[in-house]
Structure formats: C-alpha cells, structure tokens
C-alpha cells in the first residue's frame, strides 16, 4: 500500500504540471498571435522537455523501487511457504508422536496394573512365607532342644554304664532311667532299658545294695544296652547336624 501511494503521488504531480503547462502554452500562443515573437513558446517547449526527462527519471526510480518491493514479496512468499510446509510436516510428526505416546501410556498403564497385582500377591505370599518361617523356626528350636537334651542324656547314661561295667558299686541308675522320659528315644530302646533295669540285682524293692561280694563279683551285662545307646547317640548327633545345616541354608 505504501509503494502504491509512492507511485500515485508523482503521477498526480505530473498531471498538475502538465495542465499548468498547457494553460501557459495557450496563454503564450494567444500572446504570440498578437506578436511575432516565438521565444516564449520555445521556453514552454524546453520546460515540457525538462518535465518529460524528469518524468522518465521518476518512472525509472519507481520501476526500480517496485522491482525491489516485488522481489521482497516473492522472497517473503517463498520463505513463508517453506516455513508453513515445515510446520505442517512437524505437525504431522507430532501427531504421530502423540498417537504413539498415547498407545505407550495405555500399555504402560496396563502393565503397571499387572505389576500392582503381582506386588499385592507377592506381598501376601511374603507375609504367608514369613508366618510359615516363624512356625518352622519355632519347630526347629523345639526339635533342636530335644536333640540336644537327648544327646546330653545319652552321653551321661553311656558314661555311667561303661563305668559300672568295670567297677560296680552301689549307685543309682537314674541317668539310664531318665532316658525313658525323652520323646526322641524310640520304643525299642525304651524296652531294652526296661529289660536292663529289671535284671539289675540292685533294683530290689528297697533299692539298697546287696552284699559286697555280690556287688563286686557280678559281671555287668550291659554291652547290648550300651551299643543301642551309642547308635542312638551317633544318629541324634548326625540328625542334629543336618538340621543345623538346613536351618542355615533357609535363612
């Protein structure tokens, strides 16, 4: 719009000058009719030639200015068209990204829900496993205590029996009799202990010792009981060791 105004204003000015020139030429011609002098006409012609040259110069300047403005418009149009094309392409890429990310978000939401369910199940399993472990630990402690008490009682009973097999004095078989109260001692071993105690010549109603010759001359027949107790001792020690290893591995 500014360029158009710049082009239109010189044209209006030229029209005004041209009209003035024509009026002056008419006046001069009228005056020339009365006189024979032609100098004013020549001056008008010179003035008009000057105006023509100036008009051509201004026209050329306007053409140069218009060409520059047109080049600017063409360059701007090309640049804006390119920018619009790039923006449209970027919009399409972003739309595709949005679709992909929306699908990924939906998939991840589904996976998170599955993981939450797994965590809930595993938490319940963990609590149940912890409870089972507590029960197993209590059972282990109780059974380990039974094994330790049984091993200790067997060692003391075997010591007593071996000692009295060589030098039998009036003593009590309380260590041997105590074995019958232990839960881990099998029924067969308890029967053997009962049979051994029933054959004891000192196990009378009074529980007192018999005559000295009988006490020292009696060949104590306890090797069978000792063998049974030693086998039980080895068995209990081995089983307790296995229990301890399993307990260590389960931690």
């Amino acid at each position: 719009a500014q360029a158009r105004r710049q082009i239109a204003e010189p044209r209006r000015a030229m029209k005004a000058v041209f009209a003035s020139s024509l009026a002056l030429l008419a006046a001069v011609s009228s005056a020339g009719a009365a006189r024979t002098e032609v100098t004013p006409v020549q001056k008008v012609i010179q003035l008009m030639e000057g105006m023509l040259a100036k008009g051509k110069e201004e026209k050329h300047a306007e053409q140069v200015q218009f060409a520059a403005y047109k080049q600017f418009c063409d360059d701007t149009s090309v640049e804006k068209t390119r920018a619009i094309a790039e923006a449209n392409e970027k919009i399409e890429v972003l739309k595709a990204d949005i679709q992909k990310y929306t699908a990924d978000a939906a998939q991840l939401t589904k996976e998170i829900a599955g993981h939450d369910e797994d965590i809930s199940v595993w938490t319940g399993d963990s609590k149940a496993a912890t409870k089972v472990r507590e029960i197993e630990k209590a059972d282990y402690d109780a059974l380990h205590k039974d094994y330790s008490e049984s091993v200790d009682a067997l060692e003391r009973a075997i010591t007593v029996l071996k000692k009295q097999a060589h030098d039998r004095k009036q003593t009590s078989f309380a260590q041997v009799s105590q074995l019958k109260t232990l839960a881990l001692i099998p029924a067969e071993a308890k029967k053997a202990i009962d049979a051994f105690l029933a054959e004891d010549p000192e196990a009378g109603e009074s529980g007192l010792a018999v005559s000295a010759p009988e006490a020292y001359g009696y060949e104590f027949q306890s090797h069978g009981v000792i063998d049974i107790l030693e086998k039980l001792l080895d068995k209990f020690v081995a089983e307790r060791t296995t229990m301890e290893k399993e307990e260590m591995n389960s931690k």
Side-chain angles (χ1 to χ4, degrees), residues 163-164 167-173 202 209 215-216:
K163 180 179 179 181
Q164 292 189 3
D167 186 12
R168 184 185 179 90
K169 295 182 180 180
Q170 181 185 359
T171 55
S172 173
F173 285 92
E202 296 182 358
Y216 287 101

Side-chain angles (χ1 to χ4, degrees), residues 197-212:
L197 294 176
E199 293 177 359
D200 178 19
E202 296 182 358
E205 295 181 358
S206 63
L208 300 177
V210 296
S211 62

Side-chain angles (χ1 to χ4, degrees), residues 176-189:
V176 179
S177 180
Q178 183 184 2
L179 296 175
K180 297 188 297 178
T181 63
L182 299 177
L184 295 180
I185 302 298
E188 293 78 3

Side-chain angles (χ1 to χ4, degrees), residues 44-75:
V44 171
I45 293 173
Q46 291 176 355
L47 178 62
M48 294 182 66
E49 288 178 350
M51 292 175 60
L52 178 62
K54 183 178 180 182
K56 289 181 179 180
E57 181 180 356
E58 290 179 351
K59 178 182 178 182
H60 176 72
E62 290 178 1
Q63 288 176 338
V64 172
Q65 185 178 7
F66 177 78
Y69 176 73
K70 184 176 184 301
Q71 184 64 41
F72 167 76
C73 292
D74 292 342
D75 293 343

